[in-house]
Amino acid sequence: MSSTVALSVRTLVEYVFRSGSIEPGFHGTGAMVEGTRIHQKIQKQYKEGDRKEVYLKTEIPYGNLLYVVDGRCDGLLVSEDGSFTVEEIKSTSGLLDLLDEGHEVHWAQALMYAYMVALEQELSSIQVKLTYVHRATDEQKSLYRTLSFEELISFVNDTVARYAPYAEMMVRHDAKKEQSLRELSFPFSSYRKGQRHFAGAVYKSVVEKVSLFAQAPTGIGKTMSTLFPVLKAMGEGQAKGLFYLTAKTVTRFAAQEAISLLLTQGLQLHVITLTAKEKACFREEGICGKDSCPYTDGYYDRINEALMDLLEHETLMSRDTLALYAHKHKVCPFEFSLDAAYACDAVICDYNYIYDPRISLKRLTEERKRETVLLVDEAHNLVDRGREMFSASLLKAPFLEIQRQYKEMNRNLSTAAKSVNAFFISLRKICNEEGQGQWDSFPE
């Protein structure tokens, strides 16, 4: 095998089997906490001999690549006759009666684990259990399948075959990227005063995996002084990627220009700039969702082709570039940019995408985080921005909009928003001329 591709079970099956539309809704960390609670509650019911959170790993050769796939199985249950059952647990806020036979992507995750267990235990067949639990009521629905080892082999080979074109493209890109990084030279004929020392300190901090705080005078060329040494460290295997975090649009443009200059000198790198949703969105009005936006309707049916096209033909992916491909493949430009960011070598974005718990890129694995360099431009801005991220505020306008938009679609939601909007109106009446006011007890 010429190259190895390491990925998680979840990454593999979500790429191959995700489908459908982007659904509107209210999402938060509460759903993740509830999911953990539900997993633990079911796992506590396991009998002696059953195992939970079982780490599994296997190697799957396909074409010229060796796929090393790993993950944690929610439950490995052993019956009295010694037979095995693999359990995959999923929490949901939807009605269990509407699940029918379950979601294909969830079955795919369970079947991958079943294959790995059957291979390890040399089983001729194995039972697979997919359990859905309603977050609000804890009501459960379990679905069962029994598959032969031959059926599992066929499923795994078909899954890897569908993932292979993407993997092969990324392997080709990585080979060109690594060579270009090794050959990359400083883009200017000489260093400015203090610039070489600054760049050396950045390189050393990456190699030693420590933090560096730098106060650089205006005109030293700090953008290139930080980007160039990080890229050279990546070329030597000291890091896998970088995030260039900024507080202002103008500094994001400076980072883009620096990368663009390096690209003209032979650098091969997938670099993306993330833009706020309200600036990237194609919609002029209406609620974000498949009923009002054709770019979210069937998004997951088209996203893989869009990503392949983008990554095959582009290096520096600006807002305009992403919009071009989003129009071409009819996908939501904002969600498209987020999906592309996970595949890119460098990401230029606002602080929020790393530090804000509501907005941060949730699918970044711990391993990738450890191998990624953070370049935080004008880091003193993080103090005020951090206060904003962890402080709560409520505005009247969004509640009025929800009241109007959901009047026909969801009357209960519209009525609830109307009550909050009415509270704001009454609050405004007791405020002074500057719009300031306070109360001694929290409003019900």
Side-chain angles (χ1 to χ4, degrees):
M1 296 295 162
S2 59
S3 296
T4 297
V5 176
L7 72 164
S8 69
V9 168
R10 185 165 184 169
T11 298
L12 174 61
V13 301
E14 284 188 351
Y15 180 89
V16 175
F17 293 99
R18 59 184 171 179
S19 62
S21 307
I22 297 174
E23 298 290 348
F26 299 92
H27 306 286
T29 55
M32 297 174 63
V33 173
E34 275 297 287
T36 301
R37 179 191 66 80
I38 286 168
H39 275 68
Q40 292 173 345
K41 181 177 180 179
I42 291 182
Q43 291 167 341
K44 283 180 181 178
Q45 300 170 7
Y46 289 172
K47 63 183 185 301
E48 186 178 354
D50 295 341
R51 297 162 62 196
K52 62 182 180 180
E53 303 299 328
V54 182
Y55 178 74
L56 298 167
K57 184 177 181 179
T58 193
E59 296 181 351
I60 307 166
Y62 186 87
N64 293 322
L65 301 178
L66 179 66
Y67 296 83
V68 180
V69 184
D70 70 345
R72 291 192 179 276
C73 168
D74 289 334
L76 183 56
L77 318 179
V78 184
S79 62
E80 293 181 359
D81 62 4
S83 60
F84 289 90
T85 297
V86 165
E87 182 171 35
E88 183 66 23
I89 305 166
K90 297 296 180 184
S91 61
T92 179
S93 58
L95 296 175
L96 297 184
D97 291 341
L98 300 180
L99 284 171
D100 295 325
E101 294 303 312
H103 297 295
E104 186 179 22
V105 66
H106 297 158
W107 275 116
Q109 191 172 352
L111 295 183
M112 285 297 302
Y113 290 133
Y115 165 78
M116 294 156 84
V117 172
L119 179 65
E120 184 180 280
Q121 300 292 332
E122 299 182 349
L123 305 176
S124 59
S125 65
I126 189 170
Q127 182 172 252
V128 182
K129 179 181 181 182
L130 178 57
T131 299
Y132 288 99
V133 184
H134 194 278
R135 294 193 196 107
T137 65
D138 280 359
E139 182 185 356
Q140 298 181 25
K141 179 177 182 177
S142 293
L143 306 169
Y144 296 87
R145 293 182 186 177
T146 300
L147 292 94
S148 67
F149 186 54
E150 288 73 21
E151 288 175 315
L152 290 171
I153 290 175
S154 177
F155 164 78
V156 168
N157 287 338
D158 178 65
T159 300
V160 173
R162 293 166 65 181
Y163 184 81
Y166 175 78
E168 291 164 359
M169 178 195 67
M170 294 303 289
V171 167
R172 291 193 301 271
H173 165 74
D174 286 344
K176 291 187 290 185
K177 175 189 71 177
E178 289 167 9
Q179 181 179 348
S180 72
L181 286 170
R182 288 192 296 269
E183 297 173 352
L184 187 65
S185 300
F186 192 67
F188 304 111
S189 57
S190 62
Y191 286 89
R192 296 178 184 177
K193 184 180 179 181
Q195 195 174 24
R196 183 187 289 274
H197 177 67
F198 186 9
V202 172
Y203 176 84
K204 187 176 180 181
S205 70
V206 175
V207 172
E208 295 180 356
K209 294 179 170 37
V210 296
S211 297
L212 172 70
F213 294 87
Q215 182 174 326
T218 302
I220 195 175
K222 61 184 177 66
T223 303
M224 191 61 75
S225 299
T226 52
L227 280 171
F228 178 73
V230 170
L231 292 172
K232 293 303 291 184
M234 286 171 59
E236 295 173 8
Q238 301 293 337
K240 292 288 182 67
L242 71 92
F243 276 75
Y244 194 99
L245 307 177
T246 75
K248 304 171 185 174
T249 302
V250 64
T251 46
R252 285 200 286 279
F253 286 148
Q256 277 186 203
E257 289 172 1
I259 290 286
S260 181
L261 176 59
L262 294 170
L263 291 171
T264 62
Q265 300 195 358
L267 177 63
Q268 294 287 323
L269 206 69
H270 283 150
V271 185
I272 191 168
T273 300
L274 296 181
T275 305
K277 185 174 184 177
E278 58 268 22
K279 293 181 180 178
C281 184
F282 294 151
R283 291 181 304 110
E284 294 182 359
E285 59 182 16
I287 295 293
C288 181
K290 65 178 183 179
D291 293 328
S292 58
C293 177
Y295 296 94
T296 60
D297 188 15
Y299 172 87
Y300 294 109
D301 300 325
R302 301 184 295 273
I303 184 58
N304 287 353
E305 184 179 347
L307 283 173
M308 285 279 291
D309 192 13
L310 177 73
L311 296 170
E312 187 80 70
H313 298 104
E314 302 295 338
T315 49
L316 185 57
M317 305 165 203
S318 64
R319 172 183 167 184
D320 290 341
T321 302
L322 290 162
L324 184 69
Y325 282 83
H327 272 300
K328 178 181 177 181
H329 293 277
K330 207 172 182 180
V331 293
C332 168
F334 178 69
E335 293 294 335
F336 181 36
S337 70
L338 296 183
D339 281 324
Y342 290 102
C344 285
D345 308 300
V347 181
I348 303 168
C349 61
D350 188 89
Y351 297 157
N352 292 345
Y353 291 99
I354 291 295
Y355 293 111
D356 193 322
R358 299 166 302 161
I359 301 168
S360 62
L361 298 169
K362 305 287 191 299
R363 284 180 277 151
L364 284 176
T365 64
E366 288 303 315
E367 181 180 4
R368 180 169 176 186
K369 288 177 183 178
R370 288 194 297 269
E371 296 175 335
T372 299
V373 176
L374 293 185
L375 297 175
V376 186
D377 189 38
E378 298 185 334
H380 58 275
N381 288 309
L382 268 177
V383 180
D384 288 337
R385 290 291 293 277
R387 288 196 186 101
E388 292 174 11
M389 293 171 192
F390 291 91
S391 298
S393 64
L394 287 176
L395 301 176
K396 176 182 179 297
F399 291 98
L400 180 59
E401 182 182 358
I402 291 171
Q403 174 190 333
R404 292 170 174 170
Q405 294 283 358
Y406 282 91
K407 190 173 183 179
E408 301 300 328
M409 295 167 56
N410 188 328
R411 191 169 295 277
N412 288 338
L413 178 58
S414 178
T415 301
K418 182 178 181 180
S419 298
V420 180
N421 185 64
F423 163 75
F424 273 104
I425 295 173
S426 63
L427 181 64
R428 186 169 57 196
K429 292 177 180 177
I430 65 172
C431 289
N432 59 27
E433 292 182 359
E434 286 75 35
Q436 298 171 333
Q438 64 181 31
W439 59 88
D440 298 324
S441 59
F442 292 111
E444 294 182 5

